[in-house]
């Protein structure tokens, strides 16, 4: 026990070790009542499992006795199922009880019987030989699955083309975390990440590359498993076969991922016990030596023995980056969120361990899952109370801090410099607030708004001088700041969009769309202008035309916008159906700053855009070639009529708009900027 304590101190430090001891011996109920667990003491009665003629996934469960656990595991598969088609193969390894006879009564189950005991490795390989699925999912018989157990792992393969193995988040029946992926040190010793921690702690809610995942719930492509040769029989009967498989997969050019979207409950120790000196468990120490000898060359690149856990977890990353914005981004809410999510994704793609902190402290479970799928750790309440507290503990780990918007950055530049003096301090303007506010003041001839714009200008310019690098979204804003502050470094990091392409040709298209929520002042003004002036004039020329508003709208303002032909849909989950069917997208913005995501989004679908001069500012667009510019209601009517009557013009605008997004608003352009700044 004393030796284990010393080892823990070396890896966690005193504070972490004491917290770990408290977690292990904390009194807890045996079962977390928020989990749906199948009872072990129910009398057996036959039931049916899902079946598939062409399974995508083969679930392979090796068993050696412990019938009650196997039945409970299979009942959990029946309860939760999956969207993907799967088959279930149980490999009975010459069980000493009546497991095989009982399991044979379960409809839909493929039961394989070993003539003599092959051990865990032999049984898994036998199951893989009989499997028909494209993917193999090895599952211990002392596990129970939860919703999304299988589909979550498949999602990792779908979203990470380099994925060779994906492993589930393993938790104990009492709800505590058992394993969130594993670490391997240079001597071959392994460490289960997160043991006894709270399962929803931010550090364990995001997808990340790991050294290995437990064979208790491990998915791999069948073809790759066979290419590697399956679980290596060197480790018969069991232990280190999953770690060895992970190293072999990496050697073949793939990666191993921990996937928290898949959660599996594991009654650890039921199959083989916990005594390292007796039974099958004694092979753990024996096989560590075999593993260390087999992978001696590769192990030199692993963390040295004694490396602190926090450092070892980020061993494969280039460093750690913190991003702070006012709230958690939602790509369906606004273009700023879409841009930020893409930036976060690109940081992960570039190898940075990236965490995000919302200044308001809030993040829904769905938002945590969404960013977690991008590989982002979300630092929110109740886990993190505020940024200064987090920086006091973790500031020394950071290579860079990105503060978004002057209202956020203004609060934290000093605290970042204090607790993370080594980190590059980057200010993301998102758009120049003072420029947008100044234009709104001019449009409304409002002195109070003009004073607010001047205050914002002083704040933003002061921040730019304090920070190492400032990001702007348009060349116009970049030129403006270079003229104002010639000694400051200002980089272009614009909107980032995928190219979706045209869903259908010109023929059959009709009506117009406006993309944007009412909560953004330039959008609110544009929507009111559409309702009061633009659309009424349009319907004089085209009586049946409809204009669809796609974005959040408060119920309180809807009555004031009632206008014939104006359709208020609110936020929509998918823009594609609208952009595939409309004739054009309109952007009648009379003030604002930055580049307009609504324009980029429409053009990424090949939809022509009619917009004001303010709306197209800094977007590399030319009137009549890649956009139609209209600065009054009459001009909007004329532009729409041109598109209804001129198919070649529509096609040219569609093609040139797509080219514009490819050239100026691509992931490649954004990645180049991030590399210049962070390398």
């Amino acid at each position: 026990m004393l030796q284990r304590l010393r080892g823990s101190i070396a890896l966690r430090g005193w504070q972490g070790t004491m917290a770990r001891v408290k977690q292990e011996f904390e009194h807890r109920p045996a079962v977390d009542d928020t989990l749906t667990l199948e009872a072990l003491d129910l009398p057996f009665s036959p039931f049916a499992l899902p079946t598939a003629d062409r399974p995508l996934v083969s679930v392979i469960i090796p068993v050696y006795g412990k019938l009650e656990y196997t039945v409970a595991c299979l009942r959990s598969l029946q309860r939760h199922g999956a969207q993907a088609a799967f088959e279930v193969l149980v490999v009975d390894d010459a069980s000493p009880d009546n497991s095989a006879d009982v399991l044979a009564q379960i409809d839909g189950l493929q039961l394989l019987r070993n003539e003599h005991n092959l051990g865990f490795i032999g049984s898994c390989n036998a199951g893989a030989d009989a499997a028909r699925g494209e993917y193999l999912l090895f599952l211990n018989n002392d596990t129970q699955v939860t919703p999304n157990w299988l589909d979550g792992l498949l999602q990792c393969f779908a979203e990470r083309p380099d994925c060779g193995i994906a492993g589930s988040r393993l938790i104990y029946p009492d709800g505590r975390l058992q394993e969130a992926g594993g670490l391997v040190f240079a001597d071959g010793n392994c460490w289960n990440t997160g043991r006894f921690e709270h399962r929803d702690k931010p550090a364990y809610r995001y997808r990340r590359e790991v050294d290995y995942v437990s064979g208790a719930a491990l998915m791999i492509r069948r073809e790759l498993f066979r290419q590697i040769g399956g679980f290596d029989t060197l480790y018969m009967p069991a232990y280190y076969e999953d770690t060895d498989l992970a190293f072999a997969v990496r050697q073949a050019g793939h990666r191993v991922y921990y996937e928290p979207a898949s959660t599996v409950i594991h009654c650890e120790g039921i199959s083989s016990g916990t005594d390292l000196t007796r039974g099958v468990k004694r092979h753990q120490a024996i096989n560590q030596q075999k593993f260390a000898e087999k992978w001696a060359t590769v192990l030199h690149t692993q963390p040295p023995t004694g490396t602190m856990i926090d450092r070892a977890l980020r061993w494969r990353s280039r460093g750690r980056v913190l991003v702070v914005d006012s709230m958690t981004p939602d790509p369906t809410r606004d273009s700023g969120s879409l841009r930020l999510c893409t930036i976060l994704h690109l940081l992960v793609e570039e190898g940075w361990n990236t965490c995000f902190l919302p200044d308001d402290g809030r993040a829904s479970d769905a938002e945590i899952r969404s960013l977690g799928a991008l590989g982002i750790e979300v630092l929110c309440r109740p886990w993190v109370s505020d940024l200064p507290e987090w920086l006091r503990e973790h500031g020394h780990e950071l290579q860079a801090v990105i503060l978004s918007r002057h209202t956020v950055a203004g609060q934290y530049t000093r605290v970042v410099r204090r607790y993370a003096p080594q980190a590059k301090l980057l200010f993301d303007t998102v758009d120049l607030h003072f420029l947008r506010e100044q234009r709104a003041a001019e449009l409304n001839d409002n002195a109070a708004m003009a004073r607010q714009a001047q205050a914002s200008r002083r704040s933003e310019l002061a921040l730019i001088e304090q920070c190492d690098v400032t990001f702007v979204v348009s060349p116009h804003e970049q030129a403006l700041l270079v003229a104002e502050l010639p000694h400051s470094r200002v980089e272009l990091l614009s909107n980032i969009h995928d190219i979706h392409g045209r869903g259908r040709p010109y023929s059959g298209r009709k009506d117009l769309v406006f993309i944007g929520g009412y909560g953004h002042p330039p959008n609110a003004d544009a929507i009111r202008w559409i309702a009061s002036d633009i659309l009424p004039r349009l319907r004089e020329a085209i009586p049946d035309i409809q204009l669809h508003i796609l974005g959040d709208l408060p119920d309180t303002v809807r009555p004031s916008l009632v206008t014939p032909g104006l359709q208020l849909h609110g936020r929509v989950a998918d823009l594609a159906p609208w952009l595939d069917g409309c004739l054009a997208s309109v952007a009648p913005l009379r003030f604002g700053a930055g580049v307009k995501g609504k324009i980029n989004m429409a053009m990424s679908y090949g939809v022509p855009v009619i917009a004001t001069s303010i709306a197209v500012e800094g977007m590399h667009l030319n009137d009549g070639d890649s956009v139609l510019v209209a600065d009054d209601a009459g001009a909007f009517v004329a532009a729409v009529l041109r598109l209804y009557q001129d198919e070649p013009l529509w096609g040219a605008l569609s093609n040139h708009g797509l080219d514009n997004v490819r050239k100026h608003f691509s992931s490649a352009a954004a990645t180049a900027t991030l590399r210049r700044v962070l390398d």
Side-chain angles (χ1 to χ4, degrees), residues 29-48:
V31 175
D32 184 338
D33 59 11
T34 66
L35 301 173
T36 303
L37 281 164
E38 302 293 331
L40 298 176
D41 55 359
L42 285 179
F44 176 79
S45 59
F47 57 95

Side-chain angles (χ1 to χ4, degrees), residues 506 509 541-542 583 628 637-651:
Y506 174 84
R509 288 179 176 264
I542 310 171
L583 179 76
L628 295 180
V637 173
V640 173
L641 287 172
R642 286 181 67 188
L643 289 180
Y644 265 105
Q645 298 163 2
D646 193 339
E647 181 176 349
L649 172 63
W650 188 95

Side-chain angles (χ1 to χ4, degrees), residues 7-269:
S8 183
I9 293 169
L11 294 170
R12 298 176 183 269
W14 273 106
Q15 185 176 6
T17 299
M18 292 302 100
R20 168 67 176 78
V21 170
K22 180 180 178 182
Q23 290 160 356
E24 182 164 2
F25 293 103
E26 178 185 11
H27 177 71
R28 296 175 60 89
V31 175
D32 184 338
D33 59 11
T34 66
L35 301 173
T36 303
L37 281 164
E38 302 293 331
L40 298 176
D41 55 359
L42 285 179
F44 176 79
S45 59
F47 57 95
L49 290 172
T51 59
D53 292 333
R54 300 181 63 183
L56 179 63
V57 180
S58 296
V59 180
I60 300 169
I61 306 173
V63 306
Y64 180 72
K66 305 296 182 182
L67 174 62
E68 66 276 21
Y69 286 91
T70 305
V71 171
C73 174
L74 296 173
R75 286 196 182 280
S76 75
L77 299 184
Q78 179 199 43
R79 174 190 291 267
H80 296 296
Q83 292 183 9
F86 68 97
E87 63 176 354
V88 182
L89 297 88
V90 166
V91 184
D92 182 75
D93 197 22
S95 291
D97 59 12
N98 64 336
S99 286
D101 294 336
V102 173
L103 297 176
Q105 301 175 54
I106 299 175
D107 189 31
L109 175 65
Q110 297 185 53
L111 180 63
L112 307 178
R113 304 189 192 203
N114 295 339
E115 292 184 5
H116 57 275
N117 187 272
L118 300 179
F120 179 84
I121 292 172
S123 295
C124 286
N125 288 343
D129 288 341
R132 296 178 295 148
E134 179 183 346
Y135 296 87
L136 309 177
L137 200 173
F138 295 99
L139 198 64
N140 276 15
N141 71 321
D142 56 355
T143 62
Q144 293 191 31
V145 302
T146 68
N148 205 48
W149 61 285
L150 185 148
D151 298 309
L153 295 175
L154 285 174
Q155 183 181 3
C156 185
F157 281 91
E159 295 175 354
R160 298 296 320 194
D162 58 0
C163 180
I165 289 176
S168 303
R169 174 175 61 166
L170 299 179
I171 63 175
Y172 289 103
D174 67 9
R176 289 181 297 178
L177 183 65
Q178 182 181 117
E179 181 184 314
L183 293 170
V184 179
F185 292 92
D187 62 354
N189 192 31
C190 296
W191 184 274
N192 295 336
T193 304
R195 184 180 292 271
F196 298 122
E197 298 270 8
H198 194 292
R199 66 180 183 268
D200 287 334
K201 193 174 179 180
Y204 312 118
R205 291 291 305 274
Y206 69 99
R207 180 188 298 157
R208 69 180 191 281
E209 186 181 1
V210 294
D211 291 334
Y212 74 96
V213 296
S214 170
L218 177 158
M219 181 179 281
I220 184 172
R221 281 190 173 87
R222 182 180 58 170
E223 180 182 351
L224 178 58
F225 187 76
R226 291 179 175 175
Q227 173 191 327
I228 288 171
F231 287 119
D232 193 340
T233 56
L234 171 69
Y235 303 98
M236 293 276 276
Y239 290 106
Y240 268 85
E241 72 287 333
D242 45 13
T243 312
D244 177 86
L245 185 72
F247 272 56
V249 161
R250 224 173 353 259
Q251 188 178 60
H254 306 274
R255 295 186 178 185
V256 179
Y257 286 97
Y258 158 68
E259 179 50 73
S262 169
T263 297
V264 171
I265 304 162
H266 184 209
C267 303
E268 185 185 43

